[in-house]
Amino acid sequence: MKNGFRQSMAWLHTWTGLLVGWLLLLIFMAGTASYYREEISRWMRPELPRSTVSTDAAAGHAVQFLQASAGQAETWFVTLPQPRNPAMTAFWRNPEALADPSKGRRGRFGNATLDPASGEPLQSRETRGGDFFYRLHFDLHYIPVMWARYLVGFCAMFMLVAIITGVITHKKIFKDFFTFRKDKGLRSWLDFHNVSAVMGLPYHAMITYTGIVTLMIMYLPWGVKVAYPQDEAAFYAEAFGGMSEVTTVAEGRATPMPIAQLLDSARAHWKGQDVAGFSVTHPGAANAVIDIQQRDGRRLSIDTPALRYDMVSGRLLEQTPASGAATATRGVLYGLHLARFADWGLRALFFLSGLAGCLMVASGVVLWAVKERPKHAKRGRIGFGLRLVDALNIGAVAGLPIAFAAYFWGNRLLPLGMAERASAEADVFFYAWGTALFAAFVWPRRLMWAWQLYIGAAAFALVPVVNALTTGAHLGVTLRNGDWALAGIDLSMLAFGAMLALCGWRMQIWQPALSAAEKKKRAAAAAASASGARA
């Protein structure tokens, strides 16, 4: 290699990180927020009560509601209250004859959010909640799904290359972790980038690699095509297939067993593991069957067990088969990426590691601009490339926090009865981000950095205020009731606001460090001035 192996790796590290850095920052920020998607979803639907009933009682209320409201449906699906999400949702599919033609393809389907304590339908604002961030970090919202996932995979592969080459480039990587030289210009940015990278290095490598694994068959489909040239569906059935599909036709009518007995039977089979939800095929029929899904617990794997019972006799019919080694490995890697197994402490560690990843990416793209600026200064003008990177840096690093805060504002301020309200909340996110990007391109200067950071700080800090003015689920109530899931969101907003305000202040007062050449030039000028004064 022209300049040696390590120098070549440094060049590769720079360009693989820079070319996808701004999109990668969006992916990292949205993915990091997704660790609290359930808590965010609950905060964004303050009308929902805090559930205190047992799983069996909630399931019984769900069945009573569905028997009364969807007794003729072909299938019921129920998601029971969870520790992190007290809402209970019911979904059902009607026969073709009962479809509503005015709703098109959705005409056969119905859904409701239920009060676990009574089974009564709840009216809550339409929102995607935390699921917006979860989907955003791999579907990118407006982009067609397949293209978005290919693009995200491309970014993840570049990220993996950047991580590996970064480790190779830094000979003293662990020594650099304990080194931070304040107010040293380029050296300070490099130290900050090194610290944020090394601090979460195992996490960064894990989350990037497992992110690629989640869609590995989409990115590398050729093995499946060769092994299953005529029937790719057979591969998915063998590799990921759970229980067999119910193909029987509903026959007669019969009274089902109490749902509590069926859930108790499942818990006994799983040695005490609780239930996440269930689905019923042919409800009310003599051959009705119920599939019961196990709740995510301490299992690393994303693949959770399920049991199928005859709903009339209570006889166990089927259970999910044991996974092969490859499928089990894939399930564990997928589970590591989603971290559903994490308790509150481990989840917080994942979240903080994700924030470190955001800082690593942000400092990396800023570092390139800081490094290039002296070269352009020598030529006496700022080139197009540096101006473009400056604008993208401001619009992404300082503008994205504004967009995230705007999403929460939209949830509280958009009219509750607004049509397509959930989509409108997402639009608020992108309108805010688009405005920040536009402003950055119009005037990519240091003062724009400070302005946008201050705006982001104010937007985050005022979220709890807007929440208090528009709902009854504010800090004065949630702290008193010990509802830390909701209080934690408001307190996090205040913390993010304070951090962004500090960053804005630092940017406002920051002065770039003088280069060695500039110091010599100024020293010579000072000496000449002193000599002239003595003369």
Side-chain angles (χ1 to χ4, degrees):
M1 295 184 180
K2 183 177 179 181
N3 296 315
F5 178 69
R6 196 178 300 278
Q7 289 76 13
S8 299
M9 291 297 100
W11 178 90
L12 186 60
H13 176 78
T14 297
W15 288 103
T16 52
L18 182 68
L19 292 176
V20 300
W22 305 284
L23 181 56
L24 200 59
L25 182 60
L26 171 65
I27 295 167
F28 247 93
M29 289 178 69
T32 300
S34 299
Y35 286 128
Y36 290 102
R37 62 190 285 202
E38 300 290 354
E39 289 78 6
I40 292 172
S41 294
R42 187 178 163 213
W43 185 91
M44 299 186 85
R45 293 194 293 175
E47 301 84 4
L48 299 183
R50 188 180 182 186
S51 176
T52 56
V53 301
S54 67
T55 300
D56 288 354
H61 293 144
V63 170
Q64 291 173 8
F65 168 81
L66 288 167
Q67 286 173 336
S69 303
Q72 301 300 314
E74 293 178 345
T75 313
W76 295 341
F77 303 90
V78 175
T79 301
L80 294 169
Q82 309 291 318
R84 295 176 55 214
N85 183 3
M88 180 168 65
T89 57
F91 176 83
W92 59 93
R93 183 178 62 207
N94 290 315
E96 191 70 44
L98 298 179
D100 183 352
S102 65
K103 296 182 179 179
R105 295 175 60 184
R106 298 181 180 180
R108 294 182 61 188
F109 303 99
N111 64 86
T113 301
L114 307 178
D115 184 347
S118 64
E120 294 297 319
L122 294 170
Q123 298 299 320
S124 63
R125 65 192 65 197
E126 183 188 355
T127 180
R128 288 190 176 95
D131 289 339
F132 168 72
F133 296 127
Y134 173 69
R135 303 294 301 187
L136 176 64
H137 99 282
F138 62 91
D139 279 354
L140 304 180
H141 195 65
Y142 292 120
I143 299 176
V145 171
M146 295 300 291
W147 284 104
R149 295 184 182 184
Y150 277 120
L151 185 58
V152 170
F154 179 81
C155 292
M157 292 173 196
F158 266 50
M159 174 74 174
L160 195 59
V161 171
I163 291 172
I164 295 170
T165 54
V167 172
I168 294 171
T169 299
H170 293 94
K171 292 186 293 185
K172 302 176 181 179
I173 188 168
F174 293 106
K175 180 181 178 181
D176 288 344
F177 172 65
F178 298 100
T179 303
F180 181 74
R181 285 155 283 197
K182 184 181 177 184
D183 298 327
K184 296 294 183 180
L186 176 62
R187 176 53 60 183
S188 297
W189 280 106
L190 182 58
D191 288 346
F192 183 78
H193 182 64
N194 289 340
V195 169
S196 60
V198 178
M199 184 167 57
L201 180 59
Y203 170 84
H204 302 328
M206 178 276 293
I207 207 68
T208 305
Y209 178 71
T210 56
I212 297 172
V213 167
T214 59
L215 297 172
M216 61 183 181
I217 296 173
M218 177 180 167
Y219 301 141
L220 299 171
W222 303 285
V224 177
K225 292 182 182 297
V226 170
Y228 296 82
Q230 305 299 326
D231 187 10
E232 290 187 23
F235 163 77
Y236 292 100
E238 293 177 20
F240 309 119
M243 295 182 293
S244 60
E245 183 180 356
V246 178
T247 57
T248 58
V249 178
E251 299 176 356
R253 307 295 294 177
T255 301
M257 286 186 64
I259 186 67
Q261 292 186 27
L262 294 166
L263 299 186
D264 283 341
S265 179
R267 280 189 284 261
H269 186 92
W270 291 325
K271 297 180 174 57
Q273 291 291 332
D274 211 344
V275 176
F278 58 89
S279 61
V280 178
T281 304
H282 308 320
N287 59 341
V289 296
I290 180 171
D291 294 348
I292 302 175
Q293 292 82 39
Q294 188 182 110
R295 178 185 293 176
D296 292 325
R298 292 289 180 264
R299 295 172 58 90
L300 285 177
S301 178
I302 191 64
D303 302 318
T304 51
L307 300 172
R308 176 172 294 165
Y309 290 92
D310 184 309
M311 203 170 182
V312 176
S313 67
R315 181 169 56 92
L316 178 62
L317 301 176
E318 192 177 352
Q319 59 182 310
T320 48
S323 300
T327 302
T329 302
R330 181 255 185 192
V332 168
L333 292 175
Y334 203 156
L336 280 171
H337 191 80
L338 297 182
R340 291 179 180 171
F341 57 86
D343 59 12
W344 70 269
L346 186 56
R347 188 173 302 280
L349 181 60
F350 267 80
F351 181 75
L352 293 174
S353 299
L355 289 180
C358 297
L359 294 175
M360 174 187 68
V361 175
S363 60
V365 293
V366 172
L367 178 61
W368 186 91
V370 172
K371 187 177 180 180
E372 288 294 310
R373 195 169 305 284
K375 301 177 185 176
H376 289 253
K378 288 181 180 180
R379 294 197 293 265
R381 65 182 183 86
I382 301 298
F384 172 78
L386 180 56
R387 182 181 175 86
L388 175 64
V389 170
D390 280 339
L392 289 171
N393 284 349
I394 297 171
V397 179
L400 272 172
I402 297 174
F404 274 72
Y407 180 67
F408 291 91
W409 277 67
N411 176 263
R412 289 299 189 256
L413 297 182
L414 290 174
L416 298 184
M418 181 179 183
E420 301 294 334
R421 189 179 187 279
S423 297
E425 288 180 357
D427 292 340
V428 169
F429 177 96
F430 287 102
Y431 284 142
W433 189 25
T435 302
L437 278 169
F438 178 76
F441 273 93
V442 170
W443 200 46
R445 295 290 187 270
R446 183 158 57 91
L447 195 55
M448 180 60 72
W449 272 103
W451 287 354
Q452 292 208 15
L453 288 168
Y454 279 139
I455 292 171
F460 270 112
L462 290 174
V463 166
V465 177
V466 175
N467 181 36
L469 294 174
T470 56
T471 75
H474 51 79
L475 281 172
V477 174
T478 55
L479 288 175
R480 186 171 63 250
N481 294 338
D483 193 346
W484 292 105
L486 294 186
I489 300 294
D490 282 335
L491 293 173
S492 297
M493 296 295 162
L494 295 173
F496 285 128
M499 288 187 289
L500 288 170
L502 177 62
C503 292
W505 175 74
R506 289 286 300 171
M507 184 59 71
Q508 186 177 8
I509 66 171
W510 176 74
Q511 293 294 332
L514 296 176
S515 65
E518 186 65 24
K519 288 180 180 178
K520 289 181 180 179
K521 184 178 178 180
R522 292 194 178 189
S529 177
S531 298
R534 286 194 298 269

